């Protein structure tokens, strides 16, 4: 629970989407939604009265449980299965392959703003899904348990995976160039050695 008066011009996560509170009135606030936000989220399907997850931005220097959630949504996933395992609740979510490539077993994913550990991944083109599990405590604090098969979820992948890919993309051409030079020099050296025999 937090004081709404402390939100003006601050970032607030709404179902995992980082938004800026632009107007405050009583116990409500307004935000602006850019076309990019509407394209990458399921906000166009929300209706007045729908329940949402709200979370304030973390303070720099504050505690971090190991996952970096920015509120920059990568796309939307669809619930394709859900089941209980004792007091845990599992979800299977289909996402676009361009998003799934950043999701790995035992890695992190943010689902509607909730930081979760990935259980399984099937990256085959005809499947393209991952699973996650909610413990009983978490089920009582978020809106995901209310999502049924066909329900939509905002998905944010681990930004560290995207940064790693970007960094590797910059050095891979140089590595390939060096490998080609080494191969050329090895071939040349072999030719010199055989001519001496």
């Amino acid at each position: 629970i937090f004081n709404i008066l402390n939100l003006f011009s601050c970032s607030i996560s709404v179902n995992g989407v980082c938004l800026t509170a632009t107007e405050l009135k009583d116990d409500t606030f307004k935000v602006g939604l850019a076309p990019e936000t509407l394209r990458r989220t399921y906000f166009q399907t929300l209706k007045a009265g729908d329940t949402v997850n709200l979370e304030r931005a973390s303070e720099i220097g504050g505690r971090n449980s190991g996952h970096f959630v920015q509120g920059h949504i990568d796309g939307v996933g669809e619930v394709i299965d859900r089941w209980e395992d004792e007091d845990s609740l599992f979800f299977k979510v289909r996402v676009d392959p361009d998003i799934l490539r950043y999701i790995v077993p035992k890695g992190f994913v943010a689902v509607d703003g909730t930081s979760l550990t990935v259980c399984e991944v099937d990256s085959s083109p005809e499947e393209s899904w991952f699973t996650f599990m909610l413990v009983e405590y978490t089920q009582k604090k978020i809106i995901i348990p209310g999502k049924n098969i066909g329900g939509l979820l905002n998905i944010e992948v681990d930004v560290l995976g995207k940064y790693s890919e970007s960094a590797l993309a910059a050095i891979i051409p140089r590595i390939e160039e060096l490998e080609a030079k080494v191969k050329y020099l090895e071939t040349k050296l072999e030719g010199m050695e055989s001519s001496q025999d």
Side-chain angles (χ1 to χ4, degrees):
I1 298 177
F2 50 88
N3 185 343
I4 194 83
L5 296 176
N6 295 333
L7 292 178
F8 183 68
S9 78
C10 290
S11 294
I12 183 166
S13 170
V14 180
N15 285 4
V17 182
C18 179
L19 301 171
T20 301
T22 57
E23 188 179 318
L24 303 174
K25 184 176 180 183
D26 300 324
D27 62 349
T28 64
F29 64 93
K30 286 187 180 181
V31 298
L33 293 173
E36 173 72 358
T37 303
L38 293 172
R39 279 191 296 272
R40 288 191 178 259
T41 68
Y42 63 81
F43 278 177
Q44 292 183 19
T45 68
L46 289 177
K47 301 176 296 306
D50 283 353
T51 302
V52 296
N53 284 332
L54 295 178
E55 188 173 348
R56 293 176 296 174
S58 298
E59 293 183 35
I60 294 177
R63 187 173 55 85
N64 183 313
S65 295
H67 298 162
F68 296 101
V69 180
Q70 297 180 299
H72 302 161
I73 302 302
D74 295 292
V76 175
E78 178 185 0
V79 177
I80 57 173
D81 198 5
R82 55 177 279 159
W83 65 93
E84 293 180 12
D85 184 2
E86 296 184 17
D87 63 354
S88 298
L89 181 59
F90 279 81
F91 282 81
K92 183 186 283 188
V93 179
R94 179 170 288 125
V95 294
D96 188 276
D98 286 342
I99 293 173
L100 191 64
R101 73 186 213 208
Y102 299 108
I103 300 176
V104 296
K106 303 307 175 207
F108 138 84
V109 67
V111 178
D112 273 357
T114 303
S115 175
L116 298 166
T117 301
V118 176
C119 296
E120 295 179 90
V121 176
D122 187 334
S123 58
S124 60
E126 62 278 357
E127 295 294 328
S128 193
W129 56 256
F130 71 95
T131 64
F132 64 86
M133 176 269 309
L134 301 172
V135 297
E136 184 178 22
Y137 175 83
T138 304
Q139 292 173 47
K140 295 175 183 176
K141 303 292 182 184
I142 61 174
I143 64 168
I144 297 170
K147 304 278 181 147
N148 293 312
I149 293 173
L152 301 178
L153 301 163
N154 288 322
I155 306 296
E156 177 184 343
V157 298
D158 187 352
V159 71
L160 297 179
K162 292 190 282 186
Y163 281 134
S164 298
E165 180 182 67
S166 178
L168 283 173
I171 64 169
I172 285 177
R174 181 71 178 134
I175 291 171
E176 290 171 344
E177 181 183 327
L178 290 171
E179 286 176 341
K181 284 182 180 179
V182 167
K183 188 169 188 139
Y184 168 77
L185 291 172
E186 285 175 339
T187 304
K188 193 169 184 178
L189 184 61
E190 287 172 6
M192 290 170 60
E193 289 174 347
S194 62
S195 68
Q196 289 178 350
D197 291 340

